């Protein structure tokens, strides 16, 4: 059986507990080998279209 709390927790205590659960992490970024722009890891570079040193998507200059 669940234990029933003896005293009511304050709103500040409740909100402090809840605040840590919902934090989002920033995405991990790496530099493109070809152009040096930041991109998401394991994805095609949005500015030049290269992935792992070879052209995957044709981009016009």
């Amino acid at each position: 059986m669940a234990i029933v709390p003896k005293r009511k927790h304050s709103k500040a205590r409740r909100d402090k507990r809840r605040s840590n659960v919902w934090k989002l992490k920033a995405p991990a970024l790496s530099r493109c080998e070809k152009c040096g722009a930041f991109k998401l890891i394991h994805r095609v570079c949005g500015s030049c279209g290269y992935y792992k040193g070879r052209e995957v998507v044709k981009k016009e200059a």
Side-chain angles (χ1 to χ4, degrees), residues 2-53:
I3 299 170
V4 179
K6 259 187 178 173
R7 300 256 185 264
K8 180 179 177 178
H9 284 268
S10 68
K11 291 173 194 151
R13 185 177 175 133
R14 175 199 65 198
D15 293 343
K16 273 190 251 180
R17 183 185 70 245
R18 289 180 181 173
S19 68
N20 293 325
V21 179
W22 305 109
K23 290 181 182 172
L24 298 174
K25 294 181 181 177
L29 297 175
S30 65
R31 285 202 174 266
C32 176
E33 298 168 359
K34 176 89 172 155
C35 66
F38 285 107
K39 66 178 188 73
L40 291 172
I41 56 173
H42 304 294
R43 300 219 176 24
V44 178
C45 179
S47 58
C48 67
Y50 274 73
Y51 179 70
K52 286 192 174 179

